[in-house]
Amino acid sequence: AMHHTRPNGQPYPPEECPVRDTVRGRARVHAAEEIAWRRDGTSVPAEFWSYPIMDGETHLGAVVSFVDISERVAAERGLQQARIVFEHSREAIMVTDAEPRITTVNPAFTELTGFSRAETIGRSPSLLSSGRHPPEFFDGVRSTLAEKGFWSGEIWNRRKDGAVLPQRVSVSAVTDNQGKVVTYVTLMTDITGAKRAQAHMEHLALHDPLTDLPNRLLAISRLEQSITRARRHGHRVAVLFIDLDDFKPVNDRFGHASGDRVLETVASRLSGTARASDTVARLGGDEFLVVMDSITQEPDAGRLAERLTATVREPIDLRDTTVRVTASIGIAVFPDDDEDGEQLIVKADTAMYRAKARGRNRIAYFGESA
């Protein structure tokens, strides 16, 4: 036995029962979608049809049919849920046909790209192209989609306002029963914050936290690059090892905050005096390094070293006083003193100690006689 109920199982009041009447000649056909209850107490969504049996104007009875619409209801519910996900997803979604041309986008897409739905429908996804990727990149995307039906990676896309943003993109190919691609679904997520955080972490790993100069790791990398170029073009590379004289008394007398101020000032002066092509690094403590890229003769390094010692010994203003420090500099040159970057630093360090032994605030070459 089956009877009309609301979806929650409660009966409909007569005036609210969702029964539709359709005229078939003089007869009336009643149809409704409702919850039907089986004898065993289980329920099923059903479509109810009632066909009156008429003899002229006399109503003799009716033929009643019930159709199980569970699959249709489930499909409609699934479509409704998909629409909710599509509209409210924080991930930008773009749907295209096989050509491809954009068929629809969700609100998150508009928020991410600045393009409205009306501005995108019927257009090629290339409207987002930033120009940063060569044609071979997209050839690879299409090849992977054709082979696997899915591609995921990072793409630089352009917003409507011209801003170029890094995005994590996933593309899925949807096929019909014959295996032919009919739709592509693309999900996009802004990874600007993640990229910025990654760049910041990489910067911290390669720079001194106090002075923001390159640290030893980055200085060695730059030195090796300079040596490679020097070998190719027949140039020299000079390594200047710089150590501040009597820095410890300044630290002990005025405190570490004042010591840090001195180091920051020296770092700024070294950077401002060296050439734009040179690398100025802090190795730690009061030790600095300058890599002179592509010099033609050894005296070039000596002239820079003289300018560096002059700028270091200028007065440094602290909060309540003025202090002076000097620097001793040792110089090693590629390929004259060595052809290995690490060894050049060691030999420049050795020359620096030779300069200190001569009375400090001096310059010494590794290759000169003691």
Side-chain angles (χ1 to χ4, degrees):
M2 298 187 181
H3 51 84
H4 301 304
T5 64
R6 295 177 185 272
N8 63 6
Q10 299 298 317
Y12 283 105
E15 66 276 9
E16 294 183 15
C17 189
V19 176
R20 300 186 300 274
D21 292 350
T22 304
V23 176
R24 283 192 173 187
R26 296 175 61 187
R28 302 179 68 82
V29 178
H30 305 282
E33 294 178 9
E34 57 193 44
I35 300 297
W37 294 87
R38 297 186 182 93
R39 185 182 184 89
D40 61 7
T42 60
S43 63
V44 61
E47 190 172 69
F48 163 76
W49 291 86
S50 177
Y51 301 92
I53 301 173
M54 307 294 293
D55 182 6
E57 296 294 332
T58 304
H59 184 271
L60 302 180
V63 176
V64 180
S65 65
F66 292 88
V67 179
D68 184 348
I69 58 172
S70 300
E71 292 185 2
R72 190 179 80 192
V73 169
E76 291 174 350
R77 186 178 296 116
L79 288 173
Q80 183 181 22
Q81 292 173 344
R83 283 193 296 269
I84 292 173
V85 171
F86 182 81
E87 293 296 326
H88 296 281
S89 172
R90 297 305 301 163
E91 199 166 26
I93 303 175
M94 176 179 66
V95 181
T96 69
D97 58 21
E99 191 171 346
R101 296 290 172 182
I102 299 172
T103 57
T104 188
V105 297
N106 70 342
F109 176 93
T110 296
E111 182 179 346
L112 176 63
T113 68
F115 288 100
S116 68
R117 185 172 297 179
E119 291 173 317
T120 59
I121 301 302
R123 298 186 63 180
S124 168
S126 62
L127 89 163
L128 301 176
S129 177
S130 66
R132 291 195 178 189
H133 301 284
E136 300 79 37
F137 175 83
F138 294 103
D139 289 343
V141 174
R142 286 187 287 268
S143 176
T144 301
L145 280 171
E147 179 183 353
K148 300 180 179 179
F150 179 80
W151 180 89
S152 179
E154 295 181 5
I155 292 181
W156 289 88
N157 278 333
R158 188 180 301 276
R159 283 177 47 86
K160 183 181 178 180
D161 61 12
V164 176
L165 302 176
Q167 298 171 2
R168 182 71 184 179
V169 176
S170 300
V171 187
S172 298
V174 182
T175 58
D176 59 16
N177 293 334
Q178 285 73 45
K180 180 180 179 181
V181 174
V182 292
T183 299
Y184 292 101
V185 179
T186 301
L187 307 181
M188 294 177 288
T189 304
D190 182 9
I191 57 173
T192 303
K195 282 288 187 182
R196 187 179 296 117
Q198 179 183 359
H200 179 63
M201 294 301 295
E202 290 174 353
H203 182 87
L204 291 178
L206 297 173
H207 290 79
D208 170 54
L210 175 64
T211 64
D212 203 40
L213 291 178
N215 60 14
R216 177 183 289 271
L217 185 63
L218 182 55
I220 292 174
S221 174
R222 297 266 183 90
L223 175 57
E224 295 294 348
Q225 293 172 17
S226 294
I227 290 173
T228 299
R229 287 191 295 269
R231 283 197 180 100
R232 185 180 303 122
H233 300 292
H235 293 159
R236 286 182 168 85
V237 177
V239 176
L240 283 63
F241 198 107
I242 304 167
D243 185 271
L244 301 185
D245 303 320
D246 297 322
F247 172 72
K248 187 176 183 301
V250 174
N251 229 7
D252 293 342
R253 180 180 178 185
F254 299 105
H256 290 287
S258 294
D260 287 348
R261 169 63 179 158
V262 170
L263 293 173
E264 290 171 331
T265 302
V266 169
S268 177
R269 291 177 180 179
L270 295 177
S271 297
T273 304
R275 305 172 305 171
S277 59
D278 298 335
T279 294
V280 180
R282 182 187 177 206
L283 302 183
D286 59 350
E287 296 179 339
F288 296 84
L289 192 78
V290 176
V291 177
M292 292 189 69
D293 187 43
S294 301
I295 63 173
T296 55
Q297 53 186 346
E298 192 174 272
D300 292 341
R303 285 190 288 270
L304 176 59
E306 290 172 358
R307 294 197 300 272
L308 293 176
T309 56
T311 191
V312 168
R313 65 173 172 260
E314 292 177 3
I316 299 174
D317 292 327
L318 300 180
R319 186 175 59 181
D320 299 319
T321 188
T322 298
V323 299
R324 292 175 182 268
V325 294
T326 58
S328 296
I329 302 179
I331 303 173
V333 179
F334 166 90
D336 307 65
D337 298 322
D338 209 293
E339 296 191 7
D340 177 77
E342 291 273 11
Q343 287 303 308
L344 282 171
I345 294 175
V346 170
K347 291 180 177 180
D349 186 17
T350 300
M352 181 272 297
Y353 278 105
R354 184 179 300 165
K356 280 188 178 291
R358 292 176 179 174
R360 305 187 179 188
N361 192 29
R362 298 286 190 273
I363 299 167
Y365 290 88
F366 177 81
E368 67 183 339
S369 59

